[in-house]
Amino acid sequence: MRAEVALVSHEQNGLFASVDALLEQAAASDALPVPAERKRLREAAGLSQDQVARALDVRRETVTGWEAGRTEPRPPKRAAYIRLLDGLADRFPAPAASSGAAPGPRTGPPVITQPQRPALPVPTTGPATPIRPPVTAPRPAAQKAGAVPAADARFAHGPLAVVDGDGTAYGAGGLVLDCPLTDLPALVDWALGEAKLGAARLHRSGKDADPLIVLTVSAVQRLGLPAVLEDRRGLRLPDDHPVLKQLAKAQWKLTKRGFGPWARVYRTADSTRRQCVQFAVVPWGALDTRSWGSAHQLQPAELARLLGTYATRVLTPCGSTAVTGLELMTALRPPTRAVKDPATGNWVSGAMPGSLSEAVECAPPEAPDGHPAVAALYPRFHQRTPDQVLDEEAYQWARPLTDEECMKPYVVGIDVNMAFAAAANRLTVGLSAPVHVHRPVFDAKLPGSWLADLSHITFDERLPSPFTPHGERPTGPAWYATPTLAYAAELGYQITPLEAYLRYEHGPYLDAWYTRLRDAYIATMADLGITPGMPDEQFLAAMVGHQHTDPVLAAVLSAIKATVKGGIGKLRERARSGGWRPGEPWPALARPTWRPDIRAAVIANARVNMHRKMLKLAHHADLYPVAILSDCAVYASDGPSPLDFLPYQDGKPLPGGFRLGVSPGMVKHEGTQSVLWAEGLLEEHGPDVNIARHIKSGIVSGQDEGE
C-alpha cells in the first residue's frame, strides 16, 4: 500500500511540474469548474487540447471527454487538472465575475479568484473623428466611437498615445486626450500619471508594458527636438542636447542606446511601480517601412489605431518588429518567477520552468562568424566547411524548366502563410546549455545539433534536397538541427551521427508565442474579410484586394508578419558596428534569448515542412517545383490559378500536400507569370536567377517579394 501511495505521489509531482510550465499557478483546490467553463478557460489561454493532454500525460480524447462532461478526471490527474484550471481562472476570469455578478457553478466548493489579466481596449476599425474638449479627461465623442475601458484602472486609456504638436494625444479605440508639451520631462510625468497608459502583463510572473508615447513631426518640433537626426550612424541625440539636459535635471535617465528613434526614459524603480516611458519618434524612422508600410504617413488618429491594434493583439511596440518579436517571447514565458525559500520562508526570484532563464554558451558549429567560439577554433577569414558549421537556412533553389513544363502557359507561385510561425508551433527546443556527445544514438525528440553524413540520400533531380538551403545534395558529413535529421529518419533512412551537441532540458518554448501571433494574424485577416474555412475560390478572390481594403489593417498585418520573421532572426543577432572586432563578444550574447540553435531548429522545420508537401505532390500528382524562395514555391501550370495545378481528391485537397487557406501553414496565391516570362528571365540573367523572387511583380528588382 505504501509503495502504491509513493508511486501516485511521484507521478503527481511530475504532473505538477508540467502544469507549472504552462502557467505557474499556486496550489490546487478540490473544486472543478463545470465542463463548459473548462473549455472556455483553455481556449481563453490559447491552449490546444493536445497541449493540455501532453502536460497531464493523458490522451487528447481524454481532455475532450472532460470538457464535454462525459468523464471526470481521477487522481492523480484530477489534482493536476484542477491546478491548471484554477490558474487559468485567475488569469482569465469569466465576464460575469469581472462585472461583479456571481460566478458560474462549480463541481465542488466555490473558489474566489482575482482577475490577473484584464482586457485591453479593443480598437475600432473605422477612423476616429473626435471633438476636442478643453480638459485632459477622455473625450465623450471619442468614447462613443468605440473605446472600451480597460478592466485595470491603471491602464484605463490603453497602451499608448500618439502625440501631435497641438497637444492632442490620440489613443487606442478613438480615445483623445490633452497632454502637456511644454517640455519632455512634463510629457514623461503625464504619461506615468494622469494619462493612465500602459498594458497588463501577459504572464502572471511577467512585467506590465510601459506606456508608449509616439511623437509626430509637429510634436518633435514643439519639444525642441531636431526634425532629422544628424548622427546617422549612432542614431541618437548628442549627450549635450538641451532636451537631454532637461531630462537629467528632472532626474530622468536614458538607457545606453540614448535618445534615438526608440528611447526609454526611466527612474530607478521604487517599491510601488516601475517608472519608465517608451518613446517612438516617427520622423526619425521609428516605424520602418519594411515592417510598417506607409504608417509614418498616417494622420495621428489613424496611426494610434494602427499601433493600438498591434499592441492589443501582439504587444506594445518596444523597438523594431524584430525587437518586439523577441520581447514577446519573454513576455509570454518570463525567465523567473517568485518562489518561497524553504530555509527562510521569504519569497525570492527563481528560474521559471519551461523558459530561457539564463544566457548559455552555444555549440561551436552553431556560432556565427565572428563569435568568440569560432575565433578560438579557426584563423581569421577561415571559410568554414559543412562539417564545421550548422547551416540551417531557408530555401533558395531554382532549376531550368523541362520541355514538358515549357509547353505549359503559366508559372504560378504559392506562398506559405506565416511559415516560420507554423514551424515554431509544437516544436521542442533546447532550454539548457549543449552537451557534447561522441557517437550518439539519434533521437528525434532530443533538440540539438548533429554531425551526420546524408550524402547517400538522393531525390528526383526535379526536387531540391531537404538537407541544404541551396537544394543540392550534401557532399559529405555536415551539421544538422534535429528536425532535418528527423525528416531523414521519417523517410526511412538510417541515421548514424558522428557527434552531437545535445540539450537534455527541453520543451515547447515557442508555443505561446506562436499562439498569440497566430491569433493576431487570424483576427486581422478576419477584419479584412478573410476567415478560416472559406471555399477555395472565395478565398482566392478575397485575397486579390484584401490589402487595399483598409490601409491601417494592412499595415498591422505587415507588422505581424515582420514580428514573426524578425523575432526568429533576433535569436541569432549579429554584432553591430561601432568598434566591434571579430572574436570579441557583443551585448546580445548576454541575453537568455540569444539562441542560434532555436533559430536553426525553426528554419529547419520550416524547410522540411515545405519539402514534405512538395514530395507528396511529386509522388501522387507528378508535380515538381521549378523554383523555391523561403516559403514561396513556383510550379508550371495549365492555368493562372493555384486551383489549376494543385491536386484534389474527391473535391478535397490532396492529404499532406499544400492547402489553400488563411491559417498559418496553409498557402495563398503569391503571383502568376507566363512561361515565356520565366524563360526570358533565365536567358537574360542566367541560371542563378530565382523566378520565385520575382513571381509576384514580374519585375527583377533584387528585392525578396515573398511574405
Side-chain angles (χ1 to χ4, degrees):
M1 181 66 179
R2 290 182 179 179
E4 182 180 352
V5 171
L7 179 61
V8 171
S9 177
H10 176 74
E11 183 180 358
Q12 184 165 300
N13 289 338
L15 293 169
F16 283 1
S18 297
V19 172
D20 283 343
L22 287 176
L23 52 81
E24 296 308 312
Q25 171 59 18
S29 71
D30 294 326
L32 263 174
V34 295
E37 178 67 0
R38 303 169 197 174
K39 180 178 180 181
R40 185 195 73 80
L41 289 170
R42 175 182 59 77
E43 292 180 343
L47 300 174
S48 67
Q49 289 183 338
D50 285 326
Q51 287 175 288
V52 175
R54 285 199 302 269
L56 299 177
D57 196 22
V58 297
R59 297 185 305 125
R60 180 184 60 79
E61 291 79 7
T62 301
V63 177
T64 302
W66 294 346
E67 292 184 353
R70 294 192 297 268
T71 59
E72 291 290 311
R74 299 173 61 84
K77 317 289 186 185
R78 180 182 175 88
Y81 189 44
I82 291 173
R83 186 181 181 90
L84 170 63
L85 294 176
D86 282 350
L88 293 178
D90 279 353
R91 294 179 58 192
F92 307 102
S98 298
S99 61
R106 295 171 63 92
T107 59
V111 175
I112 300 175
T113 61
Q114 296 296 327
Q116 295 293 328
R117 188 180 176 189
L120 294 173
V122 179
T124 59
T125 57
T129 54
I131 300 175
R132 180 183 175 86
V135 295
T136 59
R139 306 182 184 185
Q143 292 283 7
K144 292 179 181 179
V148 179
D152 192 326
R154 297 174 301 160
F155 313 126
H157 296 157
L160 56 87
V162 178
V163 176
D164 208 9
D166 62 355
T168 304
Y170 299 85
L175 186 69
V176 183
L177 305 170
D178 282 331
C179 69
L181 275 183
T182 54
D183 54 42
L184 202 57
L187 184 58
V188 172
D189 289 335
W190 174 82
L192 290 171
E194 61 183 295
K196 297 182 180 180
L197 297 175
R201 65 196 68 184
L202 298 181
H203 189 285
R204 62 183 296 113
S205 296
K207 298 177 181 178
D208 297 328
D210 298 319
L212 171 62
I213 300 297
V214 183
L215 300 178
T216 62
V217 174
S218 57
V220 164
Q221 295 172 345
R222 178 84 176 270
L223 289 169
L225 296 167
V228 179
L229 282 177
E230 295 182 2
D231 182 0
R232 302 309 303 165
R233 186 171 183 177
L235 290 177
R236 56 188 290 168
L237 281 181
D239 294 338
D240 59 353
H241 192 279
V243 171
L244 300 190
K245 292 181 178 179
Q246 292 175 352
L247 286 173
K249 186 176 180 180
Q251 297 184 335
W252 291 106
K253 300 178 181 179
L254 295 170
T255 59
K256 291 182 179 180
R257 66 183 176 185
F259 201 96
W262 289 91
R264 286 190 181 276
V265 177
Y266 72 97
R267 283 184 181 140
T268 303
D270 57 26
S271 59
T272 56
R273 183 184 173 189
R274 174 184 171 94
Q275 290 186 299
C276 182
V277 178
Q278 174 88 42
F279 282 91
V281 186
V282 175
W284 294 356
L287 302 177
D288 192 324
T289 56
R290 293 171 296 182
S291 301
W292 296 97
S294 58
H296 64 289
Q297 298 175 349
L298 293 174
Q299 294 298 313
E302 289 293 85
L303 182 56
R305 176 178 160 232
L306 188 166
L307 296 175
T309 303
Y310 178 90
T312 302
R313 293 177 178 175
V314 180
L315 189 72
T316 304
C318 49
S320 66
T321 50
V323 169
T324 305
L326 198 70
E327 287 296 318
L328 180 62
M329 296 178 194
T330 301
L332 293 167
R333 288 194 182 274
T336 59
R337 60 170 178 164
V339 296
K340 184 170 287 188
D341 186 341
T344 64
N346 297 327
W347 289 97
V348 296
S349 179
M352 173 77 73
S355 292
L356 303 178
S357 299
E358 60 183 4
V360 297
E361 291 290 335
C362 67
E366 298 165 353
D369 291 340
H371 189 278
V374 177
L377 291 174
Y378 307 106
R380 192 175 181 185
F381 305 119
H382 170 76
Q383 184 68 38
R384 287 187 288 173
T385 54
D387 61 339
Q388 297 172 339
V389 61
L390 179 69
D391 187 24
E392 295 284 18
E393 300 294 341
Y395 267 131
Q396 291 198 51
W397 173 86
R399 64 170 174 82
L401 277 68
T402 65
D403 292 342
E404 182 181 355
E405 290 165 343
C406 287
M407 298 301 293
K408 296 181 181 293
Y410 299 102
V411 285
V412 180
I414 51 175
D415 183 83
V416 179
N417 302 321
M418 303 270 283
F420 290 158
N425 184 31
R426 302 183 183 179
L427 179 66
T428 300
V429 299
L431 302 176
S432 56
V435 176
H436 193 197
V437 182
H438 288 281
R439 297 288 179 180
V441 175
F442 178 66
D443 184 350
K445 297 181 180 180
L446 193 56
S449 299
W450 312 74
L451 180 63
D453 190 349
L454 304 180
S455 60
H456 60 287
I457 304 177
T458 60
F459 295 87
D460 189 294
E461 61 182 10
R462 292 169 292 177
L463 277 175
S465 168
F467 310 129
T468 62
H470 49 70
E472 300 298 324
R473 191 176 75 176
T475 58
W479 286 96
Y480 301 102
T482 297
T484 302
L485 286 191
Y487 183 54
E490 176 187 323
L491 294 174
Y493 295 97
Q494 182 69 32
I495 308 301
T496 309
L498 304 174
E499 60 178 301
Y501 288 90
L502 305 177
R503 291 169 169 83
Y504 293 99
E505 182 183 346
H506 47 75
Y509 173 72
L510 294 172
D511 270 12
W513 184 81
Y514 160 78
T515 299
R516 186 159 180 87
L517 288 166
R518 176 204 63 194
D519 292 348
Y521 175 78
I522 293 294
T524 306
M525 291 295 282
D527 288 343
L528 291 168
I530 301 165
T531 56
M534 295 176 74
D536 290 349
E537 295 85 353
Q538 184 181 346
F539 168 72
L540 291 173
M543 287 293 293
V544 170
H546 77 285
Q547 291 186 330
H548 306 292
T549 303
D550 186 324
V552 169
L553 290 174
V556 173
L557 191 66
S558 173
I560 292 170
K561 294 177 182 180
T563 303
V564 172
K565 288 191 173 181
I568 296 299
K570 273 282 183 179
L571 291 168
R572 197 190 66 171
E573 183 178 354
R574 299 293 191 100
R576 300 179 181 179
S577 58
W580 174 82
R581 295 180 180 180
E584 297 177 346
W586 56 94
L589 301 185
R591 292 194 319 246
T593 51
W594 193 84
R595 292 296 300 272
D597 57 298
I598 296 180
R599 173 189 178 274
V602 172
I603 295 176
N605 204 34
R607 195 181 65 246
V608 300
N609 283 346
M610 283 279 287
H611 194 275
R612 185 181 290 109
K613 292 178 171 62
M614 293 186 296
L615 187 62
K616 180 70 79 170
L617 264 63
H619 284 174
H620 292 271
D622 198 32
L623 285 170
Y624 296 84
V626 298
I628 310 168
L629 181 70
S630 187
D631 42 21
C632 174
V634 178
Y635 284 83
S637 173
D638 290 320
S641 167
L643 293 174
D644 293 316
F645 75 90
L646 288 177
Y648 283 70
Q649 292 181 351
D650 301 324
K652 297 181 179 180
L654 178 71
F658 293 111
R659 298 187 60 183
L660 291 168
V662 69
S663 298
M666 301 178 79
V667 300
K668 62 180 181 292
H669 184 202
E670 179 68 5
T672 296
Q673 303 296 333
S674 69
V675 165
L676 290 177
W677 167 87
E679 287 290 286
L681 210 61
L682 291 168
E683 289 179 7
E684 181 179 354
H685 298 279
D688 292 335
V689 71
N690 190 323
I691 64 174
R693 185 181 298 277
H694 315 291
I695 192 71
K696 187 172 186 178
S697 67
I699 301 172
V700 179
S701 62
Q703 298 293 323
D704 185 349
E705 297 288 349
E707 179 183 315

